[in-house]
Amino acid sequence: MLEMNGVDYAYPGGIPALSAVDMAIKPGEKVAIVGANGAGKTTLLSILNGTIRPDHGAVRLDGAAIRYDRAGLRGLRQAVGLVLQDPDDQLFAASVFEDVSFGPVNLGLAQPEIRARVEASLLAMGIGDLGDRPTHMLSFGQKKRVAIAGIIAMRPRYLLLDEPSAGLDPMGVSQLMASLQRISADGTAIVLATHDMYTAYAWADRILIFGDGRIACAGDPELVFSDRALLARLQLEPPLIWEAARALRQAGLVNGALKMPRDREGLLAEIKLAADMAAALAG
């Protein structure tokens, strides 16, 4: 398990960023951390990855507090990979293959294993044909996929992503989330920080609502958006799919015991069900 226990952190100048944060990520779990821009989500991920050291409290991996010496951070980053919001901050090699192979090379792996990991990572991200492509000739969405491939080639148990859908068109978001779903199915825990409420709701097993430097609310995606006063205070709105499904239930047009739809197709199916019911009653 990857945990934060009582973590405080302040930016230079004493500006508070995190305050007494407690959280835990289970192996294989899909977690979305949602919050307004500037809420501190990036700082939270950077502390989990060891890039930033907290002022107080501890980050623990499998029960042991992480060490901030060279060996400790090396071990942590093999287990906990971080993908930044801007892929240009991570890509530096001339070709896609070289870039994705950087981590495995630094692990001291044999060439056959390096090649196998790179090819598997590219395939997992749906870019198996881009290995020889110069990195400067990639689209923004391709760069994001390559940046993620470079991290998963290290075979982390926990994959942290900062605003992965930012800058992508709807098709790009859909393709990226499908790739992350495949990675998750292989047992990797994935944590994404985002202000994209729709993506968080459609994808996550658990949602943490972050604001004022704290985890303000956490739980099942179907329930976590119920506190409208909290969302308003944190300058957030629930996803439209959730609001529409909730309205159908409150109007008695859909059985309240049914699971809430998590995507567009599920909502459209519920609307059709409600329309059919209304037509039957009218007839």
Side-chain angles (χ1 to χ4, degrees):
M1 189 175 294
L2 179 62
E3 302 172 87
M4 269 189 181
N5 303 129
V7 165
D8 296 332
Y9 179 75
Y11 298 126
I15 301 170
L18 304 183
S19 177
V21 173
D22 293 305
M23 64 180 294
I25 310 298
K26 300 174 185 176
E29 192 176 22
K30 296 184 299 181
V31 177
I33 302 172
V34 302
N37 286 336
K41 303 185 298 297
T42 299
T43 302
L44 184 73
L45 295 187
S46 297
I47 289 176
L48 283 172
N49 172 255
T51 303
I52 295 176
R53 186 168 184 166
D55 297 329
H56 302 98
V59 177
R60 300 181 187 278
L61 180 63
D62 300 332
I66 66 172
R67 305 193 324 271
Y68 291 90
D69 57 21
R70 186 183 183 90
L73 290 177
R74 179 184 174 89
L76 175 69
R77 289 170 186 163
Q78 285 182 236
V80 183
L82 173 62
V83 181
L84 304 175
Q85 178 175 345
D86 186 346
D88 287 320
D89 291 337
Q90 287 187 242
L91 304 184
F92 59 89
S95 74
V96 168
F97 189 95
E98 289 176 304
D99 205 282
V100 177
S101 68
F102 178 80
V105 166
N106 279 273
L107 291 177
L109 301 176
Q111 281 299 320
E113 175 66 11
I114 292 170
R115 177 166 290 277
R117 287 197 181 200
V118 172
E119 291 176 351
S121 298
L122 294 177
L123 286 173
M125 294 307 301
I127 50 173
D129 58 334
L130 296 183
D132 295 328
R133 183 79 61 86
T135 53
H136 70 273
M137 294 183 63
L138 299 172
S139 70
F140 186 79
Q142 289 170 334
K143 287 181 178 180
K144 284 221 169 191
R145 287 166 174 261
V146 171
I148 297 171
I151 297 299
I152 64 174
M154 301 278 286
R155 304 280 173 86
R157 291 187 287 135
Y158 299 87
L159 176 62
L160 316 178
L161 301 107
D162 186 16
E163 298 288 0
S165 62
L168 300 180
D169 59 29
M171 182 59 71
V173 173
S174 178
Q175 292 171 343
L176 175 61
M177 299 313 293
S179 296
L180 294 179
Q181 186 69 29
R182 290 193 293 271
I183 295 168
S184 173
D186 288 335
T188 301
I190 301 180
V191 181
L192 60 86
T194 183
H195 63 270
D196 182 345
M197 305 293 271
Y198 170 77
T199 296
Y201 178 62
W203 174 84
D205 298 325
R206 185 163 56 101
I207 292 177
L208 310 181
I209 297 179
F210 191 72
D212 300 329
R214 299 175 181 271
I215 304 297
C217 182
D220 187 287
E222 294 185 21
L223 304 174
V224 77
F225 299 113
S226 299
D227 190 339
R228 300 302 295 269
L230 172 66
L231 294 180
R233 182 171 63 80
L234 298 179
Q235 301 180 353
L236 298 173
E237 292 183 350
L240 182 58
I241 287 174
W242 185 91
E243 289 190 291
R246 187 69 172 264
L248 288 172
R249 283 156 175 73
Q250 290 176 338
L253 298 173
V254 171
N255 184 345
L258 291 176
K259 260 183 95 64
M260 295 271 281
R262 299 279 293 276
D263 55 23
R264 180 175 178 270
E265 289 72 22
L267 177 61
L268 290 175
E270 285 209 344
I271 291 173
K272 184 179 184 305
L273 180 65
D276 290 345
M277 181 186 298
L281 291 174

